[in-house]
Amino acid sequence: MSEPDGPIVRLRGVTKTFDAGRVRALDAVDLDVDAGDFVAVVGPSGCGKSTLLNCIAALDGVDEGEMVVAGHDLCGHDHLDEFRAHDVGLVFQLDNLLPSFTAAENVEVVLLGSVPRSARRARARELLEFVCMGDRTGSRPTELSGGERQRVAIARALANRPRLLLADEPTGRLDSATGQRVLDLLESLNTEHGTTLMVVTHDPQVAARARRTVHMLDGRVEPEQPA
Amino acid sequence: MTFLSLVLKNLLRQRVRTLLTVVGITVGIATVVALGAVTAGMKDTADDFITAGGAQFIVAQKGAADLSFSRLDATVLPRVAAVAGVGAVSGVQLEILKVGSNPFFFLGGVEPSMLRSQGLDLTRGRLPRAGDEVVLGVGAAADLGAGVGSTVTLGRTPLTVVGVYDSQVVWQRGGGFAPLDTVQRMVDRPGIVTLAYVTVEQGVDPDTVAAEVRRRVPEVVTISGAEEYGQVDQGFTLVDGASTAISVLAILIGGIGVMNTMVMAIFERTREIGVLRAVGWPAGRVLRMVLSESLVLCLAAAVLGALVGVALVQLVVQIPSVSGLVLPAYPPGVFLRALVVALAVGLLGAVYPAARATRLTPMEALRYE
Ligand SMILES: Nc1ncnc2c1ncn2[C@@H]1O[C@H](COP(=O)(O)OP(=O)(O)O)[C@@H](O)[C@H]1O
Ligand SMILES: [Mg+2]
């Protein structure tokens, strides 16, 4: 259903307003992201970076425009649940882990109802090992450090084996050494598994690692200088 | 992790709140079960009473507030007997006396020839033949310390105990039978009976005969089952009505309690629900989670409530004055009703929180403060 050669993300004239139109968080955004790319989204606070990511993840509807992501027409409300369940992974700025569940359960919960129990367990373990949390599968979020929690959150985002991984300031609350490790992890996904990566960041170090940087200002995407 | 373990874990996050909710619903369910058992027991007693002696139905005075107030005078029975299809009509004088510690001693005055067909299981002695003779239920005999040959005073009349019988019917166990004319004399109402057992001829439909009896003898009612008992027993109707009313109240109060718990639980977890939706949970799965939490809560309460209800009834029937009156019964319907009430409460309590949990977009839920 998706075209492997075309862009995995394709936005045309996407507009999203809040407070009955008084806040234009996204203002006629056009954006293409190629499959397998690693894109950093930068810009001042409040320019609409999180809103952009949330709309691409189909967490909210938009007011106007066209949005086709991983072959799904998100504006046509084309099975958004399935899109979220199968095609996209999301790492929040705050880890947003479920506090009463262990690291393994936080990963498994994504697969509840779509993957059999033993496979759920195996995949959670495998993913936690991948993010170097294999020895902490039974720990609850309160027993983990910020960096550890963020790594569990990445494992969770990967549970459905998404082709597109969106991360909203994944290192924003981490010290720089921990942040580096989280970034290494994300980068390896892109280089080794071909996962398309879109990372919102304030951090110039992160932007430096990306292959492409998208600049935003006041809800608009700035024209890109040819490299 | 399974869906059920997720549901249980969510419930156990607020142990005290969950426990209090379960206790609340348990009380409601226990009430439903207890009242149901008592009502079922009363129905059984009424059915036993009606079919005693192999009768298909009984006739009693129309409009009597209680069966014990019913009066049929001697001229009525021959008219009932004359109705086509009626086989035998046998008058019974029923008296409730305070004897010993039992305030509800049922004394039945029956034609000695009819006593044999009352289904009494004679364990000692014989049945009364005439005069001041009485046969006692095992309960009454034990209560009065009486045996064959002893004299018991019922009301003001001394009677000779000629036999003791066993019976599954609670009022028969705790009561006794004497010849009809003896009882009529004891209470100074010659020629008057409380009710009459009617046996229909073979091959005729009892309902048709009963209808014909009502048409030909308009001053009587016919009762062929517990459902018709309310015509001559306001108390019966009252208990039945109260039982239904309390079940409805239990659903409402329990439902509001569960709703309150579930609303709090779901509001607190709005962000978490946003996370679940964001990682691909369809709205239907969130709905199922909320509903399951509510139903698990209520089913736990249903089981507890059934146990508590049975324990409560068994405790109350230890009281002698109660044990002579009702023998609780536990047909499956009693527990089925409790289960239905619990499920109704669970569904009712989950509707609003579930609707609200799925109404928000994942983004709105995630941003919820
Ligand atoms: N749910 C919302 N309700 C109202 N305003 C919002 C909401 N979400 C975002 N905004 C506004 O939209 C603009 C863009 O926000 P956001 O995308 O979070 O910016 P960024 O992530 O770049 O800091 C801001 O002005 C913010 O206040
Ligand atoms: Mg932001």
Side-chain angles (χ1 to χ4, degrees), chain B:
Chain B
M1 162 198 266
T2 60
F3 194 76
L4 184 65
S5 73
L6 171 95
V7 163
L8 293 178
K9 217 162 206 172
N10 281 336
L11 283 172
L12 290 177
R13 282 160 77 166
Q14 296 284 343
R15 275 159 220 265
V16 175
R17 186 166 69 199
T18 299
L19 190 73
L20 285 177
T21 313
V22 169
V23 167
I25 308 163
T26 297
V27 171
I29 298 289
T31 314
V32 171
V33 167
L35 282 171
V38 169
T39 316
M42 286 174 70
K43 282 198 171 128
D44 279 0
T45 305
D47 275 332
D48 286 345
F49 188 84
I50 291 158
T51 54
Q56 274 77 45
F57 59 89
I58 60 176
V59 293
Q61 183 191 0
K62 189 185 238 171
D66 187 281
L67 196 54
S68 60
F69 295 155
S70 163
R71 302 278 179 265
L72 296 176
D73 77 58
T75 61
V76 171
L77 300 193
R79 285 166 59 210
V80 173
V83 173
V86 170
V89 178
S90 151
V92 175
Q93 174 74 45
L94 194 69
E95 289 300 321
I96 298 170
L97 306 169
K98 181 172 169 15
V99 176
S101 69
N102 183 1
F104 302 106
F105 182 99
F106 281 80
L107 177 62
V110 184
E111 293 291 354
S113 61
M114 281 296 292
L115 261 179
R116 213 167 297 284
S117 56
Q118 287 285 316
L120 307 178
D121 175 15
L122 205 58
T123 56
R124 262 169 294 153
R126 57 169 177 83
L127 293 172
R129 290 187 192 119
D132 295 343
E133 295 182 341
V134 67
V135 61
L136 291 180
V138 284
D143 193 27
L144 297 171
V148 174
S150 45
T151 301
V152 292
T153 304
L154 303 181
R156 266 169 279 113
T157 316
L159 299 173
T160 307
V161 179
V162 295
V164 176
Y165 61 84
D166 203 353
S167 168
Q168 294 305 308
V169 183
V170 63
W171 57 269
Q172 285 184 352
R173 275 177 83 86
F177 288 93
L180 178 58
D181 53 1
T182 306
V183 177
Q184 286 174 334
R185 189 160 34 78
M186 280 168 67
V187 296
D188 198 19
R189 274 200 294 269
I192 304 276
V193 294
T194 312
L195 53 93
Y197 286 103
V198 178
T199 319
V200 302
E201 283 168 358
Q202 280 221 315
V204 277
D205 173 32
D207 290 340
T208 317
V209 177
E212 189 61 13
V213 167
R214 289 195 299 272
R215 206 173 63 78
R216 296 287 202 83
V217 192
E219 61 265 50
V220 303
V221 289
T222 61
I223 301 158
S224 51
E227 314 74 50
E228 295 169 4
Y229 211 67
Q231 297 178 82
V232 287
D233 193 336
Q234 304 297 315
F236 199 81
T237 319
L238 218 69
V239 173
D240 215 17
S243 172
T244 307
I246 288 173
S247 298
V248 170
L249 265 182
I251 294 179
L252 283 179
I253 296 172
I256 291 167
V258 175
M259 195 185 300
N260 182 50
T261 298
M262 291 308 297
V263 163
M264 289 209 303
I266 296 310
F267 272 51
E268 281 167 7
R269 278 160 39 206
T270 302
R271 281 177 52 85
E272 283 184 30
I273 288 169
V275 172
L276 291 174
R277 299 274 282 122
V279 299
W281 270 41
R285 199 180 299 158
V286 173
L287 202 83
R288 213 155 50 110
M289 177 180 76
V290 176
L291 213 63
S292 304
E293 286 178 27
S294 181
L295 287 178
V296 165
L297 204 72
C298 291
L299 287 178
V303 172
L304 277 176
L307 293 175
V308 171
V310 170
L312 213 69
V313 170
Q314 291 306 328
L315 212 68
V316 168
V317 293
Q318 300 300 313
I319 304 167
S321 63
V322 177
S323 64
L325 201 58
V326 282
L327 187 70
Y330 303 99
V334 168
F335 299 103
L336 204 66
R337 191 199 295 217
L339 192 68
V340 168
V341 168
L343 290 179
V345 164
L347 288 175
L348 187 71
V351 167
Y352 172 62
R356 124 112 211 181
T358 47
R359 200 190 59 228
L360 301 178
T361 67
M363 197 62 239
E364 287 164 341
L366 277 166
R367 290 182 62 99
Y368 185 78
E369 300 298 327

